[in-house]
Amino acid sequence: MEQLSLSQFDGKKLDGLVFCSTAYSFLEKIRSFPGGLSSLRMRKTKAEKKLLEEILPICKYIQYKYRAGLYISVCWSSGNQNFDAETIQKGFYVEKGFYPKNGFLEVTCAVHPNDYLHRELIDAGGISFGPGTLIRANDKTIHGAPIYYSGHEFIDDFSAIVLKAIAKKSAVPTRYPPNTTLIVACSLNRLYSHHEWQKLIEKIQSVLPENNFSELFIYDQAQEYIASL
């Protein structure tokens, strides 16, 4: 596979829809390489990791927000600054004060601690019933078993993962500039119905830790459920 570079994004101010189109084209380019799907699944390079864990979640946010009267440009940076991207907004809704002219985006991923085993098992052609019971044996093979949940236990389990991710980003409240949105990209512990997703969001809201983010944008990467808090 050729050397991958994020230079088309890094430090470049792009219209939000152009940013999304560029990101998806880059994703398809990697997918088209021999072994590309495996490389993406395993995040084998820094570029793939940044694409999947920062750039694509930003795309989801931009596509949710971008509309007539709210035109968003985005500048993503790969460095160690205290945000992942800066947004510049214009249009009727900005002129009327509904949205700020400038904002910032920070991305975090809410995944089960065994998510890497889940991806590795699937990449090797195995069958995974979810990350909850996966273990790596002494011979390096990965084993798991079907999981049984009683009631909404699976929602309680995953809400704790989301809350931990938010709390970690909120640990130093003054770290982020004003008008910073935290994007939380979720890999859920099973497929959720819409009702179950709503239950998850209600659970998160009921015990949400104190934070200084202007918005929490939470979404499921598989079924693309969305919540803006």
Side-chain angles (χ1 to χ4, degrees):
M1 185 183 298
E2 67 182 67
Q3 184 68 32
L4 299 175
S5 170
L6 297 174
S7 59
Q8 69 267 48
F9 304 101
D10 202 357
K12 305 291 196 308
K13 178 185 173 183
L14 300 172
D15 174 81
L17 299 185
V18 173
F19 180 89
C20 294
S21 176
T22 304
Y24 298 146
S25 294
F26 188 54
L27 176 71
E28 294 301 334
K29 178 182 178 180
I30 299 173
R31 196 202 301 266
S32 70
F33 293 146
L37 184 59
S38 174
S39 189
L40 283 166
R41 185 181 290 125
M42 299 307 298
R43 279 77 156 159
K44 290 183 178 179
T45 70
K46 180 180 179 181
E48 289 161 331
K49 185 174 177 64
K50 289 284 188 180
L51 175 67
L52 292 166
E53 297 182 5
E54 291 184 19
I55 293 174
L56 291 185
I58 290 171
C59 289
K60 191 64 184 177
Y61 176 82
I62 294 297
Q63 287 184 270
Y64 179 75
K65 292 290 185 178
Y66 199 111
R67 68 196 69 179
L70 182 60
Y71 306 103
I72 307 170
S73 294
V74 59
C75 181
W76 174 83
S77 299
S78 64
N80 294 320
Q81 69 286 336
N82 57 349
F83 54 86
D84 291 320
E86 181 178 2
T87 58
I88 302 92
Q89 303 182 133
K90 62 182 181 179
F92 176 83
Y93 291 112
V94 178
E95 294 167 4
K96 295 300 181 181
F98 292 105
Y99 294 93
K101 292 181 179 179
N102 296 89
F104 300 88
L105 303 175
E106 177 72 3
V107 184
T108 190
C109 295
V111 301
H112 191 279
N114 287 344
D115 180 69
Y116 73 102
L117 293 175
H118 175 68
R119 290 186 282 109
E120 185 178 334
L121 180 58
I122 292 174
D123 195 60
I127 297 174
S128 174
F129 298 97
T133 64
L134 293 178
I135 59 170
R136 192 187 298 278
N138 291 334
D139 63 358
K140 305 301 182 182
T141 57
I142 301 170
H143 301 276
I147 303 172
Y148 171 79
Y149 290 105
S150 176
H152 289 150
E153 283 180 345
F154 64 98
I155 294 176
D156 293 339
D157 287 351
F158 198 79
S159 66
I161 291 173
V162 175
L163 290 165
K164 183 177 179 180
I166 295 172
K168 184 176 179 180
K169 288 292 184 178
S170 306
V172 185
T174 58
R175 177 176 175 235
Y176 301 102
N179 298 324
T180 296
T181 293
L182 179 64
I183 301 171
V184 184
C186 300
S187 293
L188 299 177
N189 48 355
R190 52 162 278 179
L191 293 177
Y192 281 42
S193 68
H194 186 266
H195 174 72
E196 289 165 345
W197 172 258
Q198 292 299 324
K199 285 285 187 183
L200 173 66
I201 297 304
E202 290 170 7
K203 178 73 174 180
I204 292 168
Q205 281 185 298
S206 69
V207 288
L208 191 64
E210 183 177 350
N211 66 85
N212 282 354
F213 294 110
S214 61
E215 178 185 16
L216 296 173
F217 180 80
I218 306 172
Y219 81 100
D220 163 39
Q221 297 179 89
Q223 297 169 275
E224 300 196 335
Y225 294 131
I226 291 172
S228 179
L229 308 181

